[in-house]
Amino acid sequence: ELQLVQSGVEVKKPGESLRISCKGSGYDFTNYWIGWVRQMPGKGLEWVGIIYPGDSDTRYSPSFQGQVTISADKSISTAYLQWSSLKASDTATYYCARHVGMRGVVLADYWGQGTLITVSS
Amino acid sequence: EIVLTQSPATLSVSPGDRATLSCRASQSVGGNLAWYQQKPGQAPRLLIYGVSSRATGIPARFSGSGSGTAFTLTISSLQSEDFAVYFCHQYDNWPQYTFGQGTKLEIK
């Protein structure tokens, strides 16, 4: 069974660093893009960026470039989203999603359960 | 950035009736338009991709249509489990993919 299992709820203070994870199973993790999507409380979906674990090719939506870092460890089928200095405005649920397709045109077909991050002093 | 505008923001429909949701793009997205369903506390679920192709396991009452900049999701006979929020999504403009703001489908 294909699964994307994300790390648990996080409560952090502004300025702290954080890395959340997304572990894939039931498919060839190396050969599918993994993307991240943000959903702020009560709001819509925002595409953050994406990584191809096979060669670590990473792309960011301009809105998130420089704000987060996406990485992956294909040896343990896990992708990561990290912040070096959190802000209150980073409070949201973050979803990882497997993407199918060719570089440039890829579509999220399976999603993780989401990781809720709360940043508050 | 390609802006997707969904209408209406909220749609009230009775079970068994048809629902028609609209998504308009600020520029052409070719055939790279998808629809997702999201229920409270859950991750989005892929319904439609490539404008009109149903994802695996999606019932035939869900259909997508449109081209260029104007797209429609139709649910032919609403079931209780269909009341949710629906998002359109363009995956044409790499890597600046975007979503619409969502349409909430509620029971009338």
Side-chain angles (χ1 to χ4, degrees), chain B residues 39-105:
Chain B
K39 297 180 179 179
Q42 296 185 17
R45 178 174 73 142
L46 177 64
L47 298 176
I48 301 288
Y49 65 94
V51 178
S52 60
S53 297
R54 277 188 302 276
T56 303
I58 301 303
R61 64 180 181 273
F62 290 90
S63 63
S65 63
S67 64
T69 62
F71 303 92
T72 299
L73 174 70
T74 301
I75 312 171
S76 61
S77 179
L78 280 162
Q79 307 296 302
S80 58
E81 63 266 28
D82 299 336
F83 293 95
V85 179
Y86 292 83
F87 295 96
C88 59
H89 169 56
Q90 66 81 15
Y91 52 104
D92 190 68
N93 185 26
W94 171 267
Q96 206 164 348
Y97 292 171
T98 51
F99 294 87
Q101 82 279 15
T103 290
K104 181 179 181 181
L105 184 57

Side-chain angles (χ1 to χ4, degrees), chain A residues 39 47 59 104 106-108 112, chain B residues 36 38 42-43 49 94-95 97 99:
Chain A
Q39 188 167 38
W47 200 81
R59 310 295 176 99
V106 293
L107 173 72
Chain B
Y36 293 89
Q38 188 179 33
Q42 296 185 17
Y49 65 94
W94 171 267
Y97 292 171
F99 294 87

